[in-house]
């Protein structure tokens, strides 16, 4: 029902504006203002140690991009994001295919699989830190019992294995998330097309590549992009397990921002790294939104 202004009442457009104002106010206070403030802070030498600060224009950006440690952080972040997305995505897809067969007990297995998704990331970090512990970790105990090791390996204390350990822990944590969404994509594929492919003599592999995958392509790509975005902003699991060490081997962008701000007290530089981090996240978010618009 239209409301006319000449009757002394608000129009539909004005009512709509009033309805979205509370949401806009919350968005501006909680998200927009801190984001803009962080960008402005990146042009200053602000520190938690001193109340005064100066505007230094692009000096923070020059220092950050000239810092070889920052380049290493970008590489480590890329390895973490790719490894923590590809491994659980692949395993989650395989497990979704198994559960999609509808065998007896499949529903129970799916419920059991989802248990680790509800466990807090910090608890998972402590669990895998115990597994990979060099002195009393269960992994070393198993390998020694099998005669594969003579002495324990400090998995989280070596630069060559620490990042892989974190990726394995993240894979275990996220596998069920990918499984749940990919299973939904598999179940949306028309069964008559699958049956027709089998009638034509196609085996399971050909049926998956020519029938199932094209039908769930949008879901598969969307889930993969969301996984990249989630891993790019992940913090709690790597921090709990290694705190960025040893020798910065597991320092990703989220940890770099935290340590720069709250251990080195350099808020200006932390805001600069955070701005670069936000730009990278925006790129993946743009790809995700583009995929959503294409699907519509």
């Amino acid at each position: 029902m239209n409301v006319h202004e000449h009757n002394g009442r608000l129009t539909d457009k004005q009512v709509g504006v009033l309805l979205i104002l509370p949401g806009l106010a919350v968005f501006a206070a909680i998200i927009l203002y801190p984001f803009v403030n962080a960008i402005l802070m990146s042009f200053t030498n602000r520190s938690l140690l001193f109340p005064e600060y100066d505007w230094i224009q692009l000096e923070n950006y020059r220092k950050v991009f000239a810092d070889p440690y920052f380049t290493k952080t970008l590489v480590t972040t890329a390895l973490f994001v790719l490894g923590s997305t590809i491994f659980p995505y692949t395993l989650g897809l395989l497990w979704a295919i198994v559960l999609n067969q509808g065998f007896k007990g499949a529903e129970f297995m799916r419920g059991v699989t989802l248990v680790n998704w509800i466990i807090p990331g910090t608890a998972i970090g402590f669990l895998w830190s115990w597994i990979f512990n060099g002195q009393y970790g269960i992994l070393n105990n198993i390998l020694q019992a099998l005669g594969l090791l003579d002495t324990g390996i400090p998995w989280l204390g070596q630069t060559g294995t620490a990042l892989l350990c974190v990726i394995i822990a993240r894979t275990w944590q996220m596998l069920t998330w990918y499984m749940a969404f990919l299973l939904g994509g598999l179940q949306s594929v028309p069964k008559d097309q699958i049956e027709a492919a089998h009638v034509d003599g196609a085996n399971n592999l050909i049926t998956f590549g020519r029938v199932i995958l094209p039908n769930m392509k949008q879901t598969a790509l969307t889930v993969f992009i969301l996984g990249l975005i989630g891993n790019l902003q992940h913090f709690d699991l790597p921090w709990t397990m290694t705190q960025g060490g040893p020798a910065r081997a597991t320092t990703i962008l989220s940890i770099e921002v935290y340590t720069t701000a709250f251990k080195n007290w350099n808020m200006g530089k932390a805001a600069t790294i955070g701005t670069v981090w936000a730009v990278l996240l925006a790129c993946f978010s743009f790809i995700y939104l583009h995929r959503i618009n294409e699907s519509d």
Side-chain angles (χ1 to χ4, degrees):
M1 182 177 66
N2 291 328
V3 183
H4 300 286
E5 190 176 12
H6 62 266
N7 291 332
R9 305 174 71 179
L10 296 175
T11 65
D12 288 346
K13 185 176 181 180
Q14 290 170 328
V15 171
V17 171
L18 288 176
L19 289 174
I20 65 172
L21 276 178
L24 287 175
V26 172
F27 170 79
I30 297 178
I31 298 177
L32 185 60
Y33 170 74
F35 179 70
V36 173
N37 187 51
I39 294 176
L40 295 176
M41 195 185 301
S42 69
F43 298 104
T44 71
N45 61 353
R46 190 167 183 175
S47 170
L48 288 177
L49 299 176
F50 310 102
E52 299 84 10
Y53 61 90
D54 299 317
W55 292 89
I56 57 175
Q57 287 76 43
L58 296 174
E59 184 64 20
N60 279 329
Y61 289 91
R62 186 192 67 78
K63 289 181 178 179
V64 165
F65 285 107
D67 186 356
Y69 287 123
F70 182 69
T71 303
K72 181 181 179 182
T73 299
L74 290 177
V75 173
T76 303
T77 302
L79 292 174
F80 172 77
V81 170
L82 290 175
S84 298
T85 304
I86 293 174
F87 291 155
Y89 184 93
T90 303
L91 295 175
L93 177 59
L94 293 174
W95 189 230
I97 293 172
V98 171
L99 294 178
N100 194 46
Q101 302 305 309
F103 58 88
K104 186 177 180 180
E107 294 293 328
F108 173 76
M109 292 298 297
R110 181 168 60 181
V112 171
T113 306
L114 288 171
V115 169
N116 67 328
W117 171 243
I118 64 176
I119 301 175
T122 304
I124 293 175
F126 284 126
L127 169 66
W128 283 92
S129 295
W130 168 67
I131 292 174
F132 289 122
N133 187 278
Q135 295 180 339
Y136 52 82
I138 187 173
L139 178 60
N140 280 335
N141 288 335
I142 292 174
L143 294 176
Q144 287 174 336
L146 294 174
L148 299 176
L149 283 181
D150 294 327
T151 57
I153 296 176
W155 301 100
L156 294 174
Q158 298 181 150
T159 56
T161 57
L163 183 60
L164 178 60
C165 292
V166 175
I167 291 175
I168 290 173
R170 181 65 171 164
T171 297
W172 185 84
Q173 179 188 30
M174 292 299 296
L175 185 151
T176 55
W177 184 85
Y178 291 104
M179 179 276 295
F181 283 98
L182 294 173
L183 181 60
L186 286 171
Q187 293 177 342
S188 67
V189 178
K191 292 185 178 180
D192 56 344
Q193 294 186 17
I194 299 175
E195 293 172 356
H198 287 314
V199 170
D200 291 338
N203 58 33
N204 290 335
L205 187 60
I206 294 176
T207 302
F208 180 79
R210 295 183 179 179
V211 178
I212 298 176
L213 199 56
N215 276 284
M216 61 175 295
K217 182 176 68 173
Q218 288 291 346
T219 300
L221 286 174
T222 300
V223 170
F224 188 79
I225 295 170
L226 285 175
L228 291 173
I229 294 172
N231 287 317
L232 185 55
Q233 57 185 338
H234 190 62
F235 173 79
D236 55 352
L237 193 60
W239 178 259
T240 303
M241 293 181 68
T242 62
Q243 296 189 6
R248 300 177 60 92
T250 59
T251 298
I252 56 179
L253 282 170
S254 57
I255 292 179
E256 182 72 4
V257 171
Y258 179 83
T259 55
T260 303
F262 301 111
K263 286 197 169 183
N264 300 331
W265 316 112
N266 193 337
M267 297 299 292
K269 184 179 179 183
T272 303
I273 299 171
T275 302
V276 175
W277 183 21
V279 170
L280 293 175
L281 282 168
C283 292
F284 286 109
S285 299
F286 175 79
I287 296 172
Y288 168 70
L289 293 174
H290 180 68
R291 298 299 311 179
I292 293 295
N293 292 332
E294 277 189 350
S295 64
D296 293 339

